[in-house]
Coordinates of all heavy atoms in Angstrom, one line a residue:
Chain A
G74 N 79.1 -77.8 -1.0 CA 79.7 -78.6 0.0 C 81.2 -78.3 0.3 O 81.8 -78.9 1.2
R75 N 81.8 -77.5 -0.6 CA 83.3 -77.4 -0.5 C 83.5 -75.8 0.0 O 82.9 -74.9 -0.5 CB 84.0 -77.6 -1.7 CG 84.5 -79.1 -1.8 CD 85.0 -79.3 -3.2 NE 83.9 -79.2 -4.2 CZ 84.1 -78.4 -5.3 NH1 85.3 -77.8 -5.5 NH2 83.1 -78.3 -6.2
A76 N 84.3 -75.7 1.0 CA 84.6 -74.4 1.6 C 85.3 -73.5 0.6 O 86.2 -74.0 0.0 CB 85.3 -74.5 2.8
V77 N 84.9 -72.3 0.4 CA 85.6 -71.3 -0.5 C 86.4 -70.5 0.5 O 86.0 -69.8 1.3 CB 84.6 -70.5 -1.4 CG1 85.4 -69.7 -2.2 CG2 83.7 -71.5 -2.0
A78 N 87.7 -70.4 0.1 CA 88.7 -69.7 1.0 C 88.4 -68.1 0.9 O 88.2 -67.4 1.9 CB 90.2 -70.0 0.6
R79 N 88.2 -67.7 -0.3 CA 88.1 -66.2 -0.5 C 86.9 -65.9 -1.5 O 87.1 -66.0 -2.7 CB 89.3 -65.5 -1.1 CG 90.5 -65.3 0.0 CD 91.6 -64.9 -0.8 NE 91.4 -63.5 -1.4 CZ 91.6 -62.3 -0.9 NH1 92.1 -62.3 0.4 NH2 91.4 -61.3 -1.4
M80 N 85.7 -65.9 -0.9 CA 84.5 -65.7 -1.7 C 84.6 -64.2 -2.3 O 84.8 -63.3 -1.6 CB 83.3 -65.8 -0.9 CG 82.0 -66.0 -1.8 SD 82.0 -67.4 -2.8 CE 80.3 -67.4 -3.2
T81 N 84.4 -64.0 -3.7 CA 84.4 -62.8 -4.1 C 83.1 -62.7 -5.0 O 82.6 -63.8 -5.4 CB 85.6 -62.4 -5.1 OG1 85.6 -63.5 -6.2 CG2 86.8 -62.6 -4.3
P82 N 82.5 -61.5 -5.3 CA 81.4 -61.4 -6.2 C 81.6 -62.2 -7.6 O 80.7 -62.7 -8.1 CB 81.3 -59.9 -6.4 CG 81.9 -59.2 -5.3 CD 83.0 -60.2 -4.9
A83 N 83.0 -62.1 -8.1 CA 83.2 -62.8 -9.3 C 83.0 -64.3 -9.1 O 82.3 -65.0 -10.0 CB 84.5 -62.4 -9.8
L84 N 83.6 -64.9 -8.1 CA 83.4 -66.2 -7.8 C 82.0 -66.6 -7.7 O 81.6 -67.7 -8.1 CB 84.2 -66.6 -6.6 CG 85.6 -67.1 -6.7 CD1 86.3 -67.4 -5.3 CD2 85.7 -68.2 -7.6
A85 N 81.1 -65.8 -6.9 CA 79.9 -66.1 -6.8 C 79.0 -66.0 -8.1 O 78.2 -67.1 -8.3 CB 79.3 -64.9 -5.9
R86 N 79.4 -65.2 -9.0 CA 78.8 -65.2 -10.2 C 79.0 -66.5 -11.0 O 78.2 -67.2 -11.6 CB 79.2 -64.0 -11.1 CG 78.4 -62.8 -10.8 CD 78.4 -61.8 -12.1 NE 79.8 -61.3 -12.0 CZ 80.2 -60.3 -11.3 NH1 79.4 -59.8 -10.4 NH2 81.5 -59.8 -11.3
Q87 N 80.4 -66.9 -10.9 CA 80.7 -68.1 -11.6 C 79.9 -69.4 -11.0 O 79.6 -70.3 -11.8 CB 82.2 -68.4 -11.4 CG 83.1 -67.7 -12.6 CD 84.5 -67.8 -12.1 OE1 84.9 -68.7 -11.5 NE2 85.4 -66.8 -12.5
A88 N 79.7 -69.3 -9.8 CA 79.1 -70.4 -9.1 C 77.6 -70.4 -9.4 O 76.7 -71.3 -8.8 CB 79.3 -70.4 -7.6
G89 N 77.0 -69.4 -10.1 CA 75.6 -69.2 -10.4 C 74.8 -68.7 -9.3 O 73.7 -69.0 -9.1
I90 N 75.4 -67.8 -8.6 CA 74.6 -67.1 -7.5 C 74.3 -65.7 -8.0 O 75.0 -65.0 -8.3 CB 75.5 -67.1 -6.3 CG1 76.0 -68.4 -5.6 CG2 74.8 -66.2 -5.2 CD1 77.1 -68.4 -4.7
A91 N 73.0 -65.6 -7.9 CA 72.4 -64.2 -8.4 C 71.6 -63.5 -7.2 O 70.9 -64.2 -6.5 CB 71.5 -64.3 -9.6
V92 N 71.8 -62.2 -7.0 CA 71.2 -61.6 -5.9 C 70.3 -60.4 -6.5 O 70.8 -59.6 -7.4 CB 72.3 -60.9 -5.0 CG1 71.6 -60.3 -3.7 CG2 73.2 -62.0 -4.5
V93 N 69.1 -60.4 -6.0 CA 68.3 -59.3 -6.3 C 68.2 -58.4 -5.1 O 67.6 -58.6 -4.2 CB 66.8 -59.7 -6.8 CG1 65.9 -58.4 -7.0 CG2 66.8 -60.6 -7.9
Q94 N 68.9 -57.2 -5.2 CA 69.1 -56.4 -4.1 C 67.9 -55.5 -3.8 O 67.1 -55.3 -4.7 CB 70.2 -55.4 -4.3 CG 71.6 -56.0 -4.4 CD 72.1 -56.5 -3.1 OE1 71.5 -56.3 -2.1 NE2 73.3 -57.2 -3.2
Q95 N 67.8 -55.2 -2.5 CA 66.6 -54.3 -2.1 C 66.8 -53.0 -2.7 O 65.8 -52.3 -3.2 CB 66.7 -54.3 -0.6 CG 65.5 -53.5 0.1 CD 65.7 -53.5 1.6 OE1 66.5 -54.1 2.1 NE2 64.7 -52.8 2.2
E96 N 68.0 -52.4 -2.6 CA 68.3 -51.2 -3.4 C 68.6 -51.4 -4.8 O 69.5 -52.2 -5.1 CB 69.6 -50.5 -2.7 CG 69.6 -50.4 -1.2 CD 68.3 -49.6 -0.7 OE1 67.6 -48.9 -1.5 OE2 67.9 -49.9 0.5
L97 N 67.8 -50.9 -5.7 CA 67.9 -51.3 -7.1 C 69.3 -50.9 -7.6 O 69.8 -49.8 -7.2 CB 66.7 -50.7 -7.9 CG 65.3 -51.0 -7.4 CD1 64.4 -50.5 -8.3 CD2 65.2 -52.5 -7.4
S98 N 69.8 -51.7 -8.4 CA 71.2 -51.4 -8.9 C 71.2 -51.1 -10.5 O 72.1 -51.6 -11.1 CB 72.2 -52.6 -8.7 OG 71.5 -53.7 -9.3
L99 N 70.1 -50.6 -10.9 CA 70.0 -50.3 -12.3 C 70.5 -49.0 -12.8 O 70.5 -48.1 -11.8 CB 68.5 -50.4 -12.8 CG 67.9 -51.8 -12.4 CD1 66.4 -51.7 -12.7 CD2 68.5 -52.9 -13.2
T100 N 70.9 -48.9 -14.0 CA 71.3 -47.5 -14.5 C 70.2 -46.9 -15.3 O 69.7 -47.4 -16.3 CB 72.5 -47.8 -15.5 OG1 73.5 -48.6 -14.8 CG2 73.1 -46.4 -15.8
A101 N 69.7 -45.7 -14.8 CA 68.4 -45.2 -15.3 C 68.5 -44.8 -16.8 O 67.5 -44.9 -17.5 CB 68.1 -43.9 -14.6
S102 N 69.8 -44.5 -17.3 CA 69.9 -44.1 -18.8 C 70.1 -45.2 -19.7 O 69.8 -45.0 -20.8 CB 70.9 -43.0 -18.8 OG 72.1 -43.5 -18.4
L103 N 70.3 -46.3 -19.2 CA 70.4 -47.5 -20.0 C 69.0 -48.1 -20.3 O 68.1 -48.0 -19.4 CB 71.4 -48.5 -19.5 CG 72.8 -48.0 -19.5 CD1 73.8 -49.3 -18.9 CD2 73.3 -47.7 -20.9
S104 N 68.9 -48.9 -21.4 CA 67.6 -49.4 -21.8 C 67.4 -50.8 -20.9 O 68.4 -51.2 -20.2 CB 67.6 -50.0 -23.3 OG 68.5 -51.1 -23.4
I105 N 66.3 -51.4 -20.9 CA 65.9 -52.5 -20.2 C 66.9 -53.6 -20.5 O 67.6 -54.2 -19.7 CB 64.5 -53.0 -20.5 CG1 63.5 -52.0 -19.9 CG2 64.2 -54.3 -19.8 CD1 62.0 -52.2 -20.3
A106 N 67.1 -53.9 -22.0 CA 67.8 -55.0 -22.3 C 69.3 -54.7 -21.9 O 70.0 -55.7 -21.3 CB 67.9 -55.0 -23.8
E107 N 69.9 -53.5 -22.0 CA 71.2 -53.3 -21.6 C 71.4 -53.4 -20.0 O 72.5 -54.0 -19.6 CB 71.7 -51.8 -21.9 CG 71.9 -51.6 -23.4 CD 71.9 -50.2 -23.8 OE1 71.2 -49.3 -23.3 OE2 72.7 -49.8 -24.7
N108 N 70.4 -53.0 -19.2 CA 70.5 -53.2 -17.8 C 70.6 -54.7 -17.5 O 71.3 -55.0 -16.6 CB 69.3 -52.6 -17.1 CG 69.6 -51.1 -16.7 OD1 70.5 -51.0 -15.7 ND2 69.1 -50.2 -17.3
I109 N 69.7 -55.4 -18.3 CA 69.7 -56.8 -17.9 C 70.9 -57.6 -18.2 O 71.4 -58.5 -17.4 CB 68.4 -57.6 -18.7 CG1 67.1 -57.1 -18.1 CG2 68.5 -59.1 -18.7 CD1 65.8 -57.5 -18.9
G110 N 71.5 -57.2 -19.3 CA 72.8 -57.9 -19.8 C 74.0 -57.4 -19.2 O 75.1 -58.0 -19.4
I111 N 74.0 -56.3 -18.5 CA 75.2 -55.6 -18.2 C 76.1 -56.4 -17.4 O 75.8 -57.2 -16.6 CB 74.9 -54.3 -17.4 CG1 76.0 -53.2 -17.4 CG2 74.6 -54.6 -15.9 CD1 75.6 -51.9 -17.2
G112 N 77.4 -56.4 -17.9 CA 78.4 -57.2 -17.4 C 78.5 -58.6 -17.8 O 79.5 -59.3 -17.7
A113 N 77.6 -59.0 -18.7 CA 77.5 -60.3 -19.2 C 76.9 -60.3 -20.6 O 76.1 -61.1 -21.1 CB 76.7 -61.3 -18.4
Y114 N 77.3 -59.2 -21.4 CA 77.0 -59.0 -22.7 C 77.4 -60.2 -23.6 O 78.6 -60.5 -23.6 CB 77.4 -57.8 -23.3 CG 76.7 -56.5 -22.9 CD1 77.3 -55.2 -22.9 CD2 75.4 -56.6 -22.4 CE1 76.6 -54.1 -22.5 CE2 74.7 -55.4 -21.9 CZ 75.4 -54.2 -21.9 OH 74.8 -53.1 -21.5
P115 N 76.5 -60.7 -24.5 CA 77.1 -61.6 -25.4 C 77.8 -61.0 -26.5 O 77.5 -59.9 -26.9 CB 75.8 -62.2 -26.1 CG 74.7 -61.3 -25.7 CD 75.1 -60.6 -24.6
K116 N 79.0 -61.6 -26.8 CA 80.1 -60.9 -27.7 C 80.1 -61.6 -29.0 O 79.9 -62.8 -29.1 CB 81.4 -60.9 -27.0 CG 81.5 -60.2 -25.8 CD 81.8 -58.6 -26.1 CE 81.8 -57.9 -24.7 NZ 82.7 -58.3 -23.7
R117 N 80.3 -60.8 -30.1 CA 80.5 -61.5 -31.3 C 81.6 -60.7 -32.1 O 81.5 -59.5 -32.2 CB 79.2 -61.4 -32.2 CG 79.2 -62.4 -33.4 CD 77.7 -62.6 -33.8 NE 77.7 -63.4 -35.0 CZ 77.2 -63.0 -36.1 NH1 76.6 -61.8 -36.2 NH2 77.2 -63.7 -37.2
F118 N 82.7 -61.3 -32.4 CA 83.9 -60.8 -33.0 C 84.4 -59.5 -32.0 O 84.7 -58.4 -32.6 CB 83.6 -60.0 -34.4 CG 82.9 -61.1 -35.4 CD1 81.7 -60.7 -35.9 CD2 83.4 -62.3 -35.5 CE1 81.1 -61.6 -36.8 CE2 82.9 -63.2 -36.5 CZ 81.7 -62.9 -37.1
G119 N 84.1 -59.7 -30.7 CA 84.6 -58.8 -29.9 C 83.8 -57.6 -29.6 O 84.0 -56.7 -28.8
L120 N 82.6 -57.6 -30.3 CA 81.6 -56.4 -30.2 C 80.4 -57.2 -29.5 O 80.2 -58.3 -29.4 CB 81.2 -55.8 -31.5 CG 82.4 -55.3 -32.2 CD1 82.0 -54.9 -33.7 CD2 83.0 -54.0 -31.5
V121 N 79.6 -56.1 -28.9 CA 78.5 -56.6 -28.2 C 77.5 -57.0 -29.4 O 77.1 -56.4 -30.3 CB 77.8 -55.5 -27.5 CG1 76.4 -55.8 -27.0 CG2 78.6 -54.9 -26.4
D122 N 76.9 -58.3 -29.1 CA 75.9 -58.9 -30.0 C 74.5 -58.5 -29.6 O 73.9 -59.2 -28.7 CB 76.2 -60.4 -30.0 CG 75.3 -61.0 -31.1 OD1 74.4 -60.3 -31.7 OD2 75.5 -62.2 -31.4
Y123 N 74.1 -57.3 -30.2 CA 72.8 -56.8 -29.6 C 71.6 -57.8 -30.0 O 70.7 -57.8 -29.2 CB 72.6 -55.4 -30.2 CG 73.2 -54.4 -29.3 CD1 74.5 -53.8 -29.6 CD2 72.6 -53.9 -28.1 CE1 75.2 -52.9 -28.8 CE2 73.3 -53.0 -27.2 CZ 74.5 -52.4 -27.7 OH 75.0 -51.6 -26.8
K124 N 71.8 -58.4 -31.1 CA 70.7 -59.3 -31.5 C 70.6 -60.4 -30.5 O 69.4 -60.7 -30.0 CB 71.0 -60.0 -32.9 CG 69.8 -59.9 -33.8 CD 70.4 -60.2 -35.2 CE 69.3 -61.0 -36.0 NZ 70.0 -61.3 -37.4
E125 N 71.6 -61.0 -30.1 CA 71.6 -62.2 -29.1 C 71.2 -61.5 -27.7 O 70.4 -62.2 -27.1 CB 73.1 -62.7 -29.0 CG 73.3 -63.7 -27.9 CD 72.5 -65.1 -28.2 OE1 72.2 -65.2 -29.4 OE2 72.5 -65.9 -27.2
L126 N 71.7 -60.4 -27.4 CA 71.3 -59.7 -26.1 C 69.8 -59.6 -26.0 O 69.2 -60.0 -25.1 CB 72.1 -58.4 -26.0 CG 71.6 -57.6 -24.8 CD1 72.0 -58.2 -23.4 CD2 72.2 -56.1 -24.9
A127 N 69.2 -59.1 -27.2 CA 67.8 -58.7 -27.2 C 67.0 -60.2 -27.0 O 66.1 -60.2 -26.3 CB 67.4 -58.0 -28.5
A128 N 67.5 -61.1 -27.7 CA 66.7 -62.5 -27.6 C 66.8 -63.0 -26.2 O 65.8 -63.3 -25.7 CB 67.3 -63.4 -28.6
R129 N 67.9 -62.9 -25.6 CA 68.1 -63.5 -24.2 C 67.4 -62.7 -23.2 O 66.8 -63.1 -22.4 CB 69.6 -63.7 -23.9 CG 70.1 -64.9 -24.7 CD 71.6 -65.1 -24.4 NE 71.8 -65.2 -23.0 CZ 73.2 -65.1 -22.5 NH1 74.2 -64.9 -23.3 NH2 73.3 -65.2 -21.2
A130 N 67.4 -61.2 -23.4 CA 66.8 -60.4 -22.4 C 65.4 -60.6 -22.5 O 64.6 -60.5 -21.6 CB 67.2 -58.9 -22.7
K131 N 64.9 -60.8 -23.8 CA 63.4 -60.9 -24.0 C 62.9 -62.1 -23.3 O 61.8 -62.1 -22.7 CB 63.1 -61.0 -25.5 CG 61.7 -61.0 -25.8 CD 61.5 -60.5 -27.3 CE 60.1 -60.2 -27.6 NZ 59.8 -59.3 -28.7
A132 N 63.6 -63.3 -23.4 CA 63.3 -64.5 -22.7 C 63.1 -64.1 -21.3 O 62.2 -64.5 -20.6 CB 64.3 -65.5 -23.0
A133 N 64.1 -63.5 -20.7 CA 64.2 -63.2 -19.1 C 62.9 -62.3 -18.9 O 62.2 -62.5 -17.8 CB 65.5 -62.6 -18.8
C134 N 62.6 -61.3 -19.7 CA 61.5 -60.3 -19.4 C 60.2 -61.2 -19.5 O 59.3 -60.9 -18.7 CB 61.5 -59.3 -20.5 SG 62.7 -58.1 -20.0
K135 N 60.0 -62.1 -20.5 CA 58.8 -62.8 -20.5 C 58.6 -63.6 -19.2 O 57.4 -63.8 -18.8 CB 59.0 -63.8 -21.7 CG 57.7 -64.1 -22.3 CD 57.8 -64.9 -23.7 CE 56.5 -65.7 -24.0 NZ 56.8 -67.1 -24.4
L136 N 59.6 -64.2 -18.6 CA 59.5 -64.9 -17.4 C 58.8 -64.0 -16.3 O 58.0 -64.6 -15.5 CB 60.8 -65.4 -16.8 CG 61.5 -66.6 -17.6 CD1 62.9 -66.9 -17.1 CD2 60.5 -67.8 -17.5
V137 N 59.0 -62.8 -16.3 CA 58.6 -62.0 -15.1 C 57.5 -61.1 -15.6 O 57.0 -60.2 -15.0 CB 59.7 -60.9 -14.6 CG1 60.8 -61.8 -14.0 CG2 60.2 -60.2 -15.6

Side-chain angles (χ1 to χ4, degrees):
Chain A
R75 268 172 297 125
V77 181
R79 283 170 62 92
M80 189 66 163
T81 62
L84 269 179
R86 270 196 299 277
Q87 275 172 27
I90 299 165
V92 185
V93 177
Q94 295 285 358
Q95 185 182 357
E96 309 303 339
L97 301 183
S98 61
L99 301 173
T100 309
S102 55
L103 292 183
S104 71
I105 294 179
E107 285 165 325
N108 265 295
I109 288 176
I111 203 157
Y114 284 155
K116 297 271 174 60
R117 202 158 172 237
F118 312 125
L120 300 171
V121 176
D122 184 350
Y123 275 97
K124 224 166 148 186
E125 172 76 11
L126 172 66
R129 285 176 55 192
K131 191 160 193 158
C134 282
K135 208 168 154 224
L136 287 174
V137 297

